[in-house]
Amino acid sequence: MPSGASLEDAGAGLTTLAQVAGLTEAELLAMHGVGPKAVRILREALGAIGRTFG
């Protein structure tokens, strides 16, 4: 997960990449405190485990 404010802190309650994979990039970007850089980092992390956004 990206450093700094976590997705859990953003009020999403997301704590695993599997949970993140169930969302779209647009859904992540709509969360307070989640920007393009965080989405890019998450996309790379998901790719490393053979997953993509929902």
Side-chain angles (χ1 to χ4, degrees):
M1 292 285 209
S3 60
S6 71
L7 291 174
E8 187 172 24
D9 293 338
L14 300 170
T15 58
T16 68
L17 283 174
Q19 292 171 316
V20 171
L23 300 174
T24 66
E25 291 186 34
E27 289 171 323
L28 286 167
L29 288 168
M31 293 180 190
H32 177 74
V34 179
K37 182 177 178 180
V39 171
R40 178 183 51 79
I41 292 168
L42 289 166
R43 185 184 314 110
E44 291 170 3
L46 287 170
I49 61 169
R51 305 278 307 260
T52 61
F53 289 113

